[in-house]
Amino acid sequence: MEKLSSTFTASHGVMTAEVGVISGELELRTTCHEDGVLSLKITYVGAAEWYTLPGEEYRLHDLRDHEVVHRMLVRVLERG
Amino acid sequence: MLKIKKSMLIVFAFILSFTALQLDPPSVSALPPGTPSKSEAQSQLNSLTVKSEGPMTGYSRDEFPHWIGQGNGCDTRQIVLQRDADYYSGDCPVTSGKWYSYFDGVIVYSPSEIDIDHVVPMAEAWRSGASSWTTEQRRAFANDLNGPQLIAVTASVNRSKGDQDPSTWQPPRTGARCAYAKWWINTKYRWDLHLQSSEKTALQTMLNGCVY
C-alpha cells in the first residue's frame, strides 16, 4: 500500500461527495492498494476531516503508475 | 363627472395592484427573515473588516453542531424546510411539499432534493473569524433562524456552491444575486466575520444591481 500526498491551491474549488465544492489550500491523498485499487481523499490543509472525490473503483493495472496518476490529478484539480 | 371618477378609480386600483405585485416576491415561498434594504446592506458592507482568510487548521463540520433540536421533534433543518415551502405535508419530518429554490429557480416536490444552505458556509466562517469562537457560538451560527443565513435550495445548487464566497460563486439565477449579496453581508455583519477584498468587490457589484 502506497500513499502519496500533495498540497495545492484550488481557487475555484474541487467537488467532493460529502460537502460539495471545497476551495483554497487543499491536500490530495491517493492510496494505491496492492491490487491496484486507488482511493482518493481530499481535505483543507490542516483540517480535521477528509472528503471523498466523486467516482470509485479506480484500479491501476500497473502499481508503478500511481505517482504519475497522482501528479496528473493534482494538476487537474488545481486547474479546476 | 361620474365617468371621470370611475376611470380614475380604475387607474388607482390598477396602480395599487401593480404595487402589490412589485412588493411581493416572485413566488409565494417564504424567504429568510431580516433581509436588509440596499442602504442598510451598504453601510453594513462598509463596516466589515477587510482581511485575508485564516487557515483551515482544525476545521471540521463537527465544530459547528448543526440541525439541533428546536422542540416538538423538529430540528433546524425541518424548521427551514417548513418555512420555505409553498406548502408541505408531514410534520417533522416533512414528507412532501413544494419548494422554489431561490438560487436556481428550480421547483421541487421532494424534501430529499432540498438542502438547507448556510448562506455563509461553515468553512467560510471558519477562515473569516469563527475558528476562534466557542463551540456554543458556532452552534448558534450553524442554526441561526434569526437572520437570513439559512435557506432551502436544491441539493444540486448547494453542492455547486459548496464553501465558495461571492467572488467565485453567485446564484446561477441572476435575479437572485441582489438578495444573495444582502444575506451574505448581513450574516457577516451580525456575526462579526471579516471578508477578503475580492469578496468585497464582488459584493459591491452585486449590491449595485439592487433596485432597493
Side-chain angles (χ1 to χ4, degrees):
Chain A
M1 196 171 74
E2 184 187 42
K3 285 186 184 189
L4 295 175
S5 180
S6 302
T7 60
F8 62 99
T9 305
S11 55
H12 283 69
V14 172
M15 183 60 84
T16 68
E18 294 85 358
V19 292
V21 169
I22 63 173
S23 59
E25 301 295 314
L26 304 180
E27 178 181 352
L28 173 74
R29 192 176 70 192
T30 62
T31 304
C32 183
H33 301 270
E34 298 308 321
D35 56 0
V37 169
L38 198 63
S39 64
L40 317 173
K41 293 277 182 190
I42 197 158
T43 188
Y44 296 103
V45 171
E49 66 185 1
W50 289 83
Y51 309 111
T52 317
L53 289 159
E56 52 191 302
E57 287 300 307
Y58 296 111
R59 186 189 290 263
L60 298 176
H61 287 288
D62 189 325
L63 301 186
R64 290 171 298 184
D65 291 335
H66 182 202
E67 195 185 343
V68 176
V69 170
H70 177 87
R71 276 192 276 131
M72 185 194 76
L73 277 169
V74 171
R75 294 296 292 273
V76 168
L77 297 176
E78 198 165 30
R79 203 163 48 201
Chain B
M1 189 66 181
L2 186 71
K3 203 176 180 185
I4 292 165
K5 269 188 180 167
K6 201 175 175 185
S7 65
M8 277 180 72
L9 263 179
I10 290 166
V11 169
F12 191 58
F14 187 73
I15 290 168
L16 267 181
S17 69
F18 190 66
T19 312
L21 269 177
Q22 280 210 314
L23 290 175
D24 279 345
S27 155
V28 291
S29 59
L31 286 172
T35 304
S37 68
K38 184 179 182 179
S39 61
E40 283 167 347
Q42 184 64 64
S43 66
Q44 289 170 1
L45 179 60
N46 296 346
S47 75
L48 292 177
T49 303
V50 178
K51 200 172 164 183
S52 56
E53 290 181 331
M56 291 299 282
T57 312
Y59 172 80
S60 85
R61 283 162 296 167
D62 295 343
E63 298 289 335
F64 291 82
H66 51 293
W67 308 162
I68 57 170
Q70 298 283 349
N72 299 323
C74 297
D75 62 17
T76 312
R77 176 185 149 79
Q78 294 291 329
I79 298 283
V80 179
L81 213 47
Q82 293 181 356
R83 184 198 70 194
D84 290 0
D86 286 357
Y87 57 80
Y88 65 91
S89 55
D91 201 2
C92 291
V94 171
T95 50
S96 68
K98 183 185 176 190
W99 290 269
Y100 173 75
S101 171
Y102 195 76
F103 292 165
D104 51 8
V106 174
I107 292 168
V108 301
Y109 297 90
S110 166
S112 67
E113 290 175 69
I114 288 286
D115 275 0
I116 307 305
D117 177 48
H118 288 89
V119 168
V120 173
M122 295 183 289
E124 166 68 22
W126 184 268
R127 54 193 169 211
S128 54
S131 61
S132 62
W133 292 354
T134 64
T135 305
E136 275 316 301
Q137 283 174 300
R138 288 193 287 259
R139 185 196 311 273
F141 173 83
N143 297 278
D144 179 11
L145 292 167
N146 300 317
Q149 156 69 347
L150 299 172
I151 182 170
V153 294
T154 56
S156 65
V157 82
N158 191 39
R159 285 170 51 78
S160 69
K161 179 194 175 202
D163 70 356
Q164 298 175 90
D165 73 46
S167 68
T168 54
W169 188 90
Q170 293 175 15
R173 191 172 72 81
T174 50
R177 292 181 185 173
C178 164
Y180 182 64
K182 288 175 170 182
W183 299 338
W184 185 282
I185 292 165
N186 185 257
T187 299
K188 285 221 158 173
Y189 174 76
R190 289 190 311 114
W191 289 93
D192 198 22
L193 294 167
H194 53 78
L195 84 178
Q196 328 170 68
S197 61
S198 60
E199 181 186 345
K200 184 169 186 175
T201 305
L203 287 164
Q204 186 62 65
T205 304
M206 292 161 86
L207 200 55
N208 292 346
C210 294
V211 179
Y212 48 84

Short mmCIF file of all heavy atoms in Angstrom, two decimals, chain B residues 98-139:
data_model
loop_
_atom_site.label_atom_id
_atom_site.label_comp_id
_atom_site.label_asym_id
_atom_site.label_seq_id
_atom_site.Cartn_x
_atom_site.Cartn_y
_atom_site.Cartn_z
N LYS B 98 -43.86 21.59 -1.77
CA LYS B 98 -43.38 22.30 -2.96
C LYS B 98 -42.40 23.38 -2.52
O LYS B 98 -42.71 24.18 -1.65
CB LYS B 98 -44.57 22.93 -3.70
CG LYS B 98 -44.15 23.63 -4.99
CD LYS B 98 -45.33 24.34 -5.65
CE LYS B 98 -44.87 25.11 -6.88
NZ LYS B 98 -45.91 26.00 -7.40
N TRP B 99 -41.23 23.36 -3.16
CA TRP B 99 -40.21 24.36 -2.84
C TRP B 99 -39.73 25.04 -4.10
O TRP B 99 -39.47 24.39 -5.12
CB TRP B 99 -39.00 23.71 -2.14
CG TRP B 99 -39.32 23.25 -0.76
CD1 TRP B 99 -39.18 23.96 0.41
CD2 TRP B 99 -39.85 21.97 -0.37
NE1 TRP B 99 -39.59 23.22 1.48
CE2 TRP B 99 -40.01 22.01 1.04
CE3 TRP B 99 -40.21 20.83 -1.07
CZ2 TRP B 99 -40.51 20.92 1.76
CZ3 TRP B 99 -40.71 19.75 -0.38
CH2 TRP B 99 -40.86 19.79 1.01
N TYR B 100 -39.60 26.36 -4.01
CA TYR B 100 -39.00 27.15 -5.07
C TYR B 100 -37.58 27.46 -4.63
O TYR B 100 -37.38 28.14 -3.62
CB TYR B 100 -39.80 28.45 -5.29
CG TYR B 100 -39.14 29.39 -6.27
CD1 TYR B 100 -39.19 29.12 -7.63
CD2 TYR B 100 -38.48 30.54 -5.83
CE1 TYR B 100 -38.59 29.98 -8.54
CE2 TYR B 100 -37.87 31.40 -6.74
CZ TYR B 100 -37.93 31.11 -8.09
OH TYR B 100 -37.33 31.96 -8.99
N SER B 101 -36.62 26.91 -5.35
CA SER B 101 -35.21 27.10 -4.98
C SER B 101 -34.74 28.46 -5.52
O SER B 101 -34.59 28.64 -6.73
CB SER B 101 -34.39 25.96 -5.56
OG SER B 101 -33.02 26.20 -5.40
N TYR B 102 -34.55 29.39 -4.63
CA TYR B 102 -34.31 30.78 -5.00
C TYR B 102 -33.06 30.96 -5.86
O TYR B 102 -33.04 31.80 -6.76
CB TYR B 102 -34.17 31.61 -3.71
CG TYR B 102 -34.28 33.10 -3.91
CD1 TYR B 102 -35.50 33.71 -4.12
CD2 TYR B 102 -33.13 33.89 -3.88
CE1 TYR B 102 -35.59 35.09 -4.31
CE2 TYR B 102 -33.20 35.26 -4.06
CZ TYR B 102 -34.44 35.85 -4.27
OH TYR B 102 -34.52 37.21 -4.47
N PHE B 103 -32.01 30.19 -5.58
CA PHE B 103 -30.74 30.37 -6.30
C PHE B 103 -30.83 29.98 -7.77
O PHE B 103 -30.21 30.61 -8.62
CB PHE B 103 -29.63 29.53 -5.66
CG PHE B 103 -29.22 30.00 -4.28
CD1 PHE B 103 -28.46 29.16 -3.47
CD2 PHE B 103 -29.56 31.26 -3.80
CE1 PHE B 103 -28.06 29.57 -2.21
CE2 PHE B 103 -29.16 31.68 -2.53
CZ PHE B 103 -28.41 30.83 -1.73
N ASP B 104 -31.54 28.90 -8.07
CA ASP B 104 -31.56 28.41 -9.45
C ASP B 104 -32.95 28.43 -10.09
O ASP B 104 -33.11 28.05 -11.25
CB ASP B 104 -30.95 27.00 -9.55
CG ASP B 104 -31.56 26.02 -8.54
OD1 ASP B 104 -32.55 26.40 -7.88
OD2 ASP B 104 -31.04 24.90 -8.43
N GLY B 105 -33.95 28.86 -9.32
CA GLY B 105 -35.30 28.96 -9.88
C GLY B 105 -35.97 27.63 -10.16
O GLY B 105 -36.97 27.57 -10.86
N VAL B 106 -35.43 26.55 -9.59
CA VAL B 106 -35.98 25.22 -9.82
C VAL B 106 -37.06 24.90 -8.78
O VAL B 106 -36.91 25.24 -7.60
CB VAL B 106 -34.85 24.15 -9.77
CG1 VAL B 106 -35.41 22.74 -9.86
CG2 VAL B 106 -33.84 24.39 -10.88
N ILE B 107 -38.15 24.27 -9.22
CA ILE B 107 -39.21 23.87 -8.30
C ILE B 107 -39.10 22.37 -8.05
O ILE B 107 -38.99 21.59 -9.00
CB ILE B 107 -40.60 24.23 -8.88
CG1 ILE B 107 -40.75 25.76 -8.92
CG2 ILE B 107 -41.72 23.59 -8.06
CD1 ILE B 107 -41.94 26.24 -9.71
N VAL B 108 -39.09 21.96 -6.79
CA VAL B 108 -39.06 20.52 -6.49
C VAL B 108 -40.16 20.18 -5.48
O VAL B 108 -40.66 21.05 -4.76
CB VAL B 108 -37.69 20.03 -5.96
CG1 VAL B 108 -36.59 20.30 -6.96
CG2 VAL B 108 -37.36 20.64 -4.62
N TYR B 109 -40.52 18.92 -5.45
CA TYR B 109 -41.63 18.46 -4.62
C TYR B 109 -41.22 17.46 -3.55
O TYR B 109 -42.06 16.98 -2.81
CB TYR B 109 -42.73 17.86 -5.52
CG TYR B 109 -43.32 18.88 -6.47
CD1 TYR B 109 -42.79 19.09 -7.74
CD2 TYR B 109 -44.41 19.67 -6.07
CE1 TYR B 109 -43.32 20.04 -8.59
CE2 TYR B 109 -44.95 20.62 -6.93
CZ TYR B 109 -44.41 20.81 -8.18
OH TYR B 109 -44.93 21.76 -9.02
N SER B 110 -39.93 17.11 -3.53
CA SER B 110 -39.48 16.14 -2.54
C SER B 110 -38.42 16.75 -1.63
O SER B 110 -37.45 17.35 -2.11
CB SER B 110 -38.88 14.92 -3.25
OG SER B 110 -38.17 14.14 -2.32
N PRO B 111 -38.59 16.59 -0.31
CA PRO B 111 -37.58 17.15 0.60
C PRO B 111 -36.19 16.54 0.40
O PRO B 111 -35.20 17.15 0.77
CB PRO B 111 -38.13 16.85 2.00
CG PRO B 111 -39.20 15.84 1.81
CD PRO B 111 -39.70 15.97 0.41
N SER B 112 -36.13 15.36 -0.22
CA SER B 112 -34.82 14.75 -0.42
C SER B 112 -34.01 15.49 -1.49
O SER B 112 -32.80 15.32 -1.59
CB SER B 112 -34.96 13.28 -0.81
OG SER B 112 -35.56 13.18 -2.08
N GLU B 113 -34.69 16.31 -2.29
CA GLU B 113 -33.97 17.10 -3.30
C GLU B 113 -33.58 18.47 -2.77
O GLU B 113 -32.99 19.29 -3.48
CB GLU B 113 -34.83 17.26 -4.55
CG GLU B 113 -35.03 15.98 -5.34
CD GLU B 113 -35.99 16.19 -6.49
OE1 GLU B 113 -35.63 16.90 -7.44
OE2 GLU B 113 -37.11 15.65 -6.43
N ILE B 114 -33.96 18.74 -1.52
CA ILE B 114 -33.73 20.06 -0.93
C ILE B 114 -32.63 19.99 0.13
O ILE B 114 -32.62 19.10 0.97
CB ILE B 114 -35.04 20.60 -0.30
CG1 ILE B 114 -36.04 21.01 -1.40
CG2 ILE B 114 -34.77 21.77 0.63
CD1 ILE B 114 -35.71 22.29 -2.12
N ASP B 115 -31.70 20.93 0.06
CA ASP B 115 -30.71 21.13 1.12
C ASP B 115 -31.02 22.44 1.81
O ASP B 115 -31.58 23.35 1.20
CB ASP B 115 -29.30 21.27 0.51
CG ASP B 115 -28.62 19.94 0.24
OD1 ASP B 115 -29.22 18.89 0.53
OD2 ASP B 115 -27.47 19.98 -0.25
N ILE B 116 -30.64 22.53 3.08
CA ILE B 116 -30.68 23.83 3.73
C ILE B 116 -29.28 24.42 3.63
O ILE B 116 -28.33 23.88 4.20
CB ILE B 116 -31.13 23.74 5.21
CG1 ILE B 116 -32.46 22.98 5.32
CG2 ILE B 116 -31.23 25.14 5.81
CD1 ILE B 116 -33.60 23.53 4.48
N ASP B 117 -29.17 25.48 2.86
CA ASP B 117 -27.87 26.11 2.63
C ASP B 117 -27.53 27.07 3.76
O ASP B 117 -28.39 27.84 4.20
CB ASP B 117 -27.91 26.89 1.31
CG ASP B 117 -26.60 27.62 1.04
OD1 ASP B 117 -25.54 27.00 1.18
OD2 ASP B 117 -26.66 28.82 0.69
N HIS B 118 -26.28 27.00 4.23
CA HIS B 118 -25.75 28.07 5.08
C HIS B 118 -25.24 29.14 4.11
O HIS B 118 -24.26 28.90 3.40
CB HIS B 118 -24.59 27.57 5.95
CG HIS B 118 -25.02 26.67 7.06
ND1 HIS B 118 -25.12 25.30 6.92
CD2 HIS B 118 -25.39 26.93 8.34
CE1 HIS B 118 -25.53 24.77 8.07
NE2 HIS B 118 -25.70 25.74 8.95
N VAL B 119 -25.93 30.27 4.05
CA VAL B 119 -25.57 31.31 3.08
C VAL B 119 -24.07 31.62 3.19
O VAL B 119 -23.35 31.60 2.20
CB VAL B 119 -26.44 32.56 3.27
CG1 VAL B 119 -25.90 33.74 2.47
CG2 VAL B 119 -27.88 32.26 2.83
N VAL B 120 -23.60 31.93 4.41
CA VAL B 120 -22.16 31.98 4.65
C VAL B 120 -21.77 30.58 5.13
O VAL B 120 -22.14 30.17 6.23
CB VAL B 120 -21.79 33.05 5.69
CG1 VAL B 120 -20.30 32.95 6.05
CG2 VAL B 120 -22.11 34.44 5.17
N PRO B 121 -21.06 29.82 4.28
CA PRO B 121 -20.77 28.42 4.62
C PRO B 121 -19.94 28.31 5.91
O PRO B 121 -19.20 29.23 6.26
CB PRO B 121 -19.95 27.94 3.42
CG PRO B 121 -20.24 28.89 2.31
CD PRO B 121 -20.50 30.20 2.97
N MET B 122 -20.05 27.17 6.57
CA MET B 122 -19.32 26.96 7.82
C MET B 122 -17.81 27.05 7.60
O MET B 122 -17.10 27.65 8.40
CB MET B 122 -19.73 25.63 8.44
CG MET B 122 -21.22 25.65 8.84
SD MET B 122 -21.79 24.15 9.65
CE MET B 122 -21.78 22.97 8.31
N ALA B 123 -17.33 26.48 6.49
CA ALA B 123 -15.89 26.54 6.20
C ALA B 123 -15.45 27.99 5.97
O ALA B 123 -14.38 28.41 6.41
CB ALA B 123 -15.55 25.69 4.97
N GLU B 124 -16.31 28.74 5.29
CA GLU B 124 -16.03 30.16 5.04
C GLU B 124 -16.02 30.95 6.35
O GLU B 124 -15.20 31.83 6.56
CB GLU B 124 -17.07 30.71 4.06
CG GLU B 124 -17.14 32.23 3.94
CD GLU B 124 -15.92 32.87 3.30
OE1 GLU B 124 -15.19 32.17 2.57
OE2 GLU B 124 -15.71 34.06 3.55
N ALA B 125 -16.95 30.61 7.24
CA ALA B 125 -17.00 31.28 8.54
C ALA B 125 -15.71 30.99 9.33
O ALA B 125 -15.13 31.88 9.94
CB ALA B 125 -18.22 30.81 9.33
N TRP B 126 -15.28 29.72 9.26
CA TRP B 126 -14.07 29.31 9.99
C TRP B 126 -12.87 30.17 9.61
O TRP B 126 -12.13 30.66 10.46
CB TRP B 126 -13.78 27.84 9.70
CG TRP B 126 -12.62 27.26 10.46
CD1 TRP B 126 -11.32 27.21 10.05
CD2 TRP B 126 -12.67 26.63 11.75
NE1 TRP B 126 -10.55 26.58 11.00
CE2 TRP B 126 -11.35 26.22 12.05
CE3 TRP B 126 -13.69 26.38 12.67
CZ2 TRP B 126 -11.02 25.57 13.24
CZ3 TRP B 126 -13.36 25.72 13.86
CH2 TRP B 126 -12.04 25.33 14.14
N ARG B 127 -12.69 30.39 8.29
CA ARG B 127 -11.50 31.14 7.86
C ARG B 127 -11.70 32.65 7.89
O ARG B 127 -10.81 33.40 7.57
CB ARG B 127 -11.02 30.66 6.48
CG ARG B 127 -12.05 30.68 5.39
CD ARG B 127 -11.55 29.89 4.17
NE ARG B 127 -12.63 29.69 3.20
CZ ARG B 127 -12.71 28.63 2.41
NH1 ARG B 127 -11.80 27.70 2.45
NH2 ARG B 127 -13.71 28.53 1.56
N SER B 128 -12.90 33.09 8.29
CA SER B 128 -13.08 34.53 8.41
C SER B 128 -13.46 34.94 9.83
O SER B 128 -14.10 35.97 10.02
CB SER B 128 -14.10 35.04 7.37
OG SER B 128 -15.31 34.34 7.44
N GLY B 129 -13.05 34.13 10.79
CA GLY B 129 -13.20 34.55 12.19
C GLY B 129 -13.73 33.52 13.16
O GLY B 129 -13.45 33.56 14.35
N ALA B 130 -14.53 32.55 12.67
CA ALA B 130 -15.20 31.61 13.57
C ALA B 130 -14.27 30.58 14.20
O ALA B 130 -14.67 29.88 15.13
CB ALA B 130 -16.35 30.91 12.84
N SER B 131 -13.02 30.48 13.69
CA SER B 131 -12.09 29.49 14.27
C SER B 131 -11.78 29.84 15.72
O SER B 131 -11.41 28.97 16.50
CB SER B 131 -10.81 29.41 13.45
OG SER B 131 -10.15 30.66 13.43
N SER B 132 -11.92 31.11 16.08
CA SER B 132 -11.62 31.50 17.46
C SER B 132 -12.86 31.54 18.36
O SER B 132 -12.78 31.89 19.52
CB SER B 132 -10.92 32.86 17.48
OG SER B 132 -11.78 33.84 16.95
N TRP B 133 -14.02 31.19 17.80
CA TRP B 133 -15.25 31.18 18.60
C TRP B 133 -15.29 29.97 19.53
O TRP B 133 -14.57 28.99 19.32
CB TRP B 133 -16.48 31.10 17.70
CG TRP B 133 -16.74 32.29 16.86
CD1 TRP B 133 -16.08 33.50 16.86
CD2 TRP B 133 -17.75 32.38 15.84
NE1 TRP B 133 -16.62 34.32 15.90
CE2 TRP B 133 -17.64 33.67 15.27
CE3 TRP B 133 -18.72 31.51 15.36
CZ2 TRP B 133 -18.49 34.10 14.25
CZ3 TRP B 133 -19.56 31.93 14.34
CH2 TRP B 133 -19.46 33.22 13.79
N THR B 134 -16.23 30.02 20.48
CA THR B 134 -16.52 28.84 21.28
C THR B 134 -17.47 27.93 20.48
O THR B 134 -18.11 28.39 19.51
CB THR B 134 -17.24 29.22 22.59
OG1 THR B 134 -18.51 29.79 22.25
CG2 THR B 134 -16.43 30.22 23.41
N THR B 135 -17.56 26.68 20.89
CA THR B 135 -18.47 25.75 20.21
C THR B 135 -19.91 26.26 20.31
O THR B 135 -20.70 26.11 19.38
CB THR B 135 -18.36 24.34 20.82
OG1 THR B 135 -17.00 23.94 20.76
CG2 THR B 135 -19.21 23.34 20.06
N GLU B 136 -20.24 26.88 21.46
CA GLU B 136 -21.59 27.43 21.63
C GLU B 136 -21.91 28.48 20.58
O GLU B 136 -23.00 28.52 20.03
CB GLU B 136 -21.76 28.02 23.05
CG GLU B 136 -22.12 27.00 24.10
CD GLU B 136 -23.23 26.04 23.62
OE1 GLU B 136 -24.32 26.52 23.26
OE2 GLU B 136 -22.98 24.82 23.59
N GLN B 137 -20.94 29.36 20.32
CA GLN B 137 -21.15 30.40 19.30
C GLN B 137 -21.31 29.77 17.92
O GLN B 137 -22.17 30.18 17.14
CB GLN B 137 -19.94 31.36 19.28
CG GLN B 137 -19.94 32.35 20.42
CD GLN B 137 -18.66 33.18 20.42
OE1 GLN B 137 -17.55 32.65 20.53
NE2 GLN B 137 -18.81 34.48 20.30
N ARG B 138 -20.51 28.74 17.66
CA ARG B 138 -20.60 28.09 16.34
C ARG B 138 -21.91 27.34 16.19
O ARG B 138 -22.48 27.26 15.12
CB ARG B 138 -19.38 27.19 16.12
CG ARG B 138 -18.11 27.98 15.88
CD ARG B 138 -16.99 27.11 15.35
NE ARG B 138 -16.44 26.24 16.36
CZ ARG B 138 -15.30 26.46 17.02
NH1 ARG B 138 -14.58 27.53 16.75
NH2 ARG B 138 -14.88 25.61 17.92
N ARG B 139 -22.40 26.79 17.31
CA ARG B 139 -23.70 26.11 17.29
C ARG B 139 -24.80 27.12 16.95
O ARG B 139 -25.68 26.85 16.12
CB ARG B 139 -23.98 25.48 18.66
CG ARG B 139 -25.25 24.64 18.71
CD ARG B 139 -25.69 24.37 20.16
NE ARG B 139 -24.60 23.89 21.00
CZ ARG B 139 -24.24 22.62 21.12
NH1 ARG B 139 -24.91 21.69 20.48
NH2 ARG B 139 -23.23 22.27 21.88
#
